């Protein structure tokens, strides 16, 4: 389900921004989210630690690019009056909510069995993935 919902969340944010957001972001933002998730899947399936952490690193770079573009979208939508961390617009709040949600994924990946394996309790792992 997340392979569809994550790009749709990115797209809906761009559409919510209306004409203030450049049109190419309708494809760029969902595409980057698919690429980040593809790297996560690739890292999970990789048997070699170097490949696994390489995918993780590139996925984190994509996340950084998405966060930068989210900041740009807030600036574009509000004509510079709001930033990602300052302001009062509903668009900024929706963007910040999505961005903070996305930031939890690489943290979990890093401490889960796919990453360093800090968390190994099956009950915790299934609760987080649910």
């Amino acid at each position: 389900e997340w392979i569809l919902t994550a790009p749709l969340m990115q797209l809906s944010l761009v559409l919510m921004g209306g004409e203030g957001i450049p049109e190419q972001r309708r494809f760029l933002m969902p595409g980057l989210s698919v690429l980040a998730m593809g790297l996560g899947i690739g890292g999970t399936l990789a048997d070699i630690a170097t490949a696994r952490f390489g995918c993780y690193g590139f996925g984190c770079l994509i996340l950084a690019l998405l966060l930068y573009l989210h900041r740009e979208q807030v600036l574009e939508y509000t004509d510079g009056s709001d930033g990602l961390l300052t302001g009062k617009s509903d668009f900024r709040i929706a963007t910040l909510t999505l961005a903070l949600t996305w930031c939890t994924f690489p943290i979990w990946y890093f401490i889960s069995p796919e990453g360093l394996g800090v968390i190994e309790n099956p009950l915790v792992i299934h609760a987080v993935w649910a």
Side-chain angles (χ1 to χ4, degrees), residues 25 28-29 32 64-73:
R25 298 255 178 83
L28 180 62
M29 299 303 280
L32 287 172
L65 177 58
L66 279 167
L67 294 175
Y68 170 77
L69 291 171
H70 283 306
R71 178 187 170 275
E72 290 298 306
Q73 288 177 171

Side-chain angles (χ1 to χ4, degrees), residues 3-14:
I3 199 77
L4 293 175
T5 57
L8 287 175
M9 286 188 289
Q10 295 288 343
L11 176 61
S12 66
L13 199 56
V14 172

Side-chain angles (χ1 to χ4, degrees), residues 82-114:
D82 285 7
L84 192 57
L85 301 177
T86 59
K88 297 182 181 188
S89 72
D90 290 339
F91 184 77
R92 178 197 153 274
I93 293 168
T95 300
L96 194 55
T97 301
L98 182 64
L100 290 175
T101 302
W102 269 67
C103 287
T104 62
F105 292 114
I107 295 167
W108 171 252
Y109 186 92
F110 193 69
I111 64 173
S112 73
E114 288 88 2

